[in-house]
Amino acid sequence: MHRVPSEQVTVFGAGRTDSGVHAIGQVAHFEISKNLAIDNIRDGINQCLRPLPIAILNAEKVVDDFHARFSAK
């Protein structure tokens, strides 16, 4: 994924103590204005995370009112 230079992105994540969220299935969300393929977003983030021992396993588009802290199950 190419970086989106003209866009400030804020990432919201669910904490391990948030109700219904499991430590091995962390959830985060962000909004971007560009229409990018979900697989490209996931792969681009993983490219930036290397060589850290963390990876995005799944990415999907969600409804507008989804919030990682309050909607994750």
Side-chain angles (χ1 to χ4, degrees):
M1 176 175 112
H2 296 281
R3 294 179 189 248
V4 185
S6 62
E7 190 166 354
Q8 180 78 23
V9 177
T10 301
V11 177
F12 298 90
R16 290 183 59 185
T17 59
D18 291 339
S19 178
V21 178
H22 195 281
I24 63 171
Q26 292 298 295
V27 176
H29 83 273
F30 58 89
E31 294 181 23
I32 57 173
S33 61
K34 301 214 183 244
N35 188 15
L36 301 173
I38 299 298
D39 290 343
N40 290 348
I41 293 171
R42 182 202 60 226
D43 294 347
I45 294 171
N46 282 333
Q47 181 88 15
C48 293
L49 291 172
R50 287 186 188 126
L52 299 171
I54 184 173
I56 306 302
L57 301 178
N58 183 40
E60 59 189 73
K61 189 171 184 174
V62 295
V63 295
D64 288 340
D65 64 348
F66 178 87
H67 194 287
R69 268 196 78 201
F70 308 114
S71 305
K73 299 276 186 229

